[in-house]
Amino acid sequence: MSRIIRAGRKRTERGRLFRKNLAIVLFISSLPMALIAVSTYLISARQIEREVDYTHQLRLIQTAEQLNEQFSQVEIIANQYAQQDLFQNQLNEDSYNDNFRLAQNMFELLTRLNSADRMIKRVQLYVKRNNALISPYQGAMAITDRQE
């Protein structure tokens, strides 16, 4: 019986030694792969961050250029309408209160200017001589308060 116990102890000692050595071998063999994986992750994370930053900067520049073009178009549209005879001479000579045709032309022109570009939200005309604000949707309103 003592032989059986001794043989059993030898087996368990060999099994422990085998498992211990196996664990050491697996650890040593997986260490280089772990180092390669961590370094690849760190390097690629930095590269991805740079690419994302570059893409964002490029998109920001493109958006700014598009907005600049749209503002230029709005400026051209506003200048074209400002050069019309209605705003040049008639508004200074006639009163829109007295001349129905002038008021109608002014409201039509403001309505067309309002729908000329999607960036134009609301168009209003301020007439300094009468201290009035003319809008295609609200009509002509006298401005009494300076803050308005």
Side-chain angles (χ1 to χ4, degrees), residues 17-59:
L17 186 61
F18 176 75
R19 280 189 227 116
K20 186 178 176 183
N21 287 338
L22 179 65
I24 291 172
V25 167
L26 288 177
F27 177 73
I28 290 173
S29 64
S30 64
L31 190 61
M33 283 305 292
L35 291 175
I36 291 171
V38 168
S39 63
T40 303
Y41 171 76
L42 292 176
I43 292 170
S44 65
R46 288 185 192 133
Q47 183 65 27
I48 290 172
E49 286 176 4
R50 279 190 228 120
E51 288 295 322
V52 168
D53 284 344
Y54 175 74
T55 304
H56 282 264
Q57 291 295 327
L58 188 62
R59 183 71 178 138

Side-chain angles (χ1 to χ4, degrees), residues 5-148:
I5 293 175
R6 283 186 204 159
R9 283 185 186 169
K10 277 188 173 182
R11 283 185 193 164
T12 55
E13 286 177 23
R14 273 194 279 172
R16 283 185 198 160
L17 186 61
F18 176 75
R19 280 189 227 116
K20 186 178 176 183
N21 287 338
L22 179 65
I24 291 172
V25 167
L26 288 177
F27 177 73
I28 290 173
S29 64
S30 64
L31 190 61
M33 283 305 292
L35 291 175
I36 291 171
V38 168
S39 63
T40 303
Y41 171 76
L42 292 176
I43 292 170
S44 65
R46 288 185 192 133
Q47 183 65 27
I48 290 172
E49 286 176 4
R50 279 190 228 120
E51 288 295 322
V52 168
D53 284 344
Y54 175 74
T55 304
H56 282 264
Q57 291 295 327
L58 188 62
R59 183 71 178 138
L60 183 66
I61 290 169
Q62 289 174 345
T63 303
E65 288 174 356
Q66 288 174 351
L67 282 174
N68 194 19
E69 287 177 24
Q70 288 178 341
F71 280 127
S72 296
Q73 288 296 323
V74 169
E75 185 179 6
I76 290 170
I77 291 169
N79 284 335
Q80 286 175 347
Y81 282 110
Q83 296 300 321
Q84 290 194 4
D85 190 41
L86 175 68
F87 292 118
Q88 292 295 317
N89 298 324
Q90 287 183 340
L91 198 55
N92 290 332
E93 296 169 1
D94 296 332
S95 172
Y96 59 89
N97 293 330
D98 300 332
N99 189 343
F100 175 75
R101 177 52 82 194
L102 176 65
Q104 184 179 12
N105 288 342
M106 192 172 10
F107 286 122
E108 285 177 11
L109 195 60
L110 288 175
T111 303
R112 277 189 279 153
L113 183 59
N114 203 29
S115 62
D117 194 281
R118 63 184 172 99
M119 286 188 64
I120 300 174
K121 207 172 209 178
R122 182 177 56 185
V123 176
Q124 295 177 328
L125 176 66
Y126 175 70
V127 181
K128 188 175 183 178
R129 184 181 62 182
N130 297 351
N131 205 26
L133 191 64
I134 301 170
S135 169
Y137 302 112
Q138 297 172 337
M141 301 179 300
I143 296 177
T144 56
D145 187 15
R146 253 179 122 47
Q147 289 182 355
E148 284 184 288

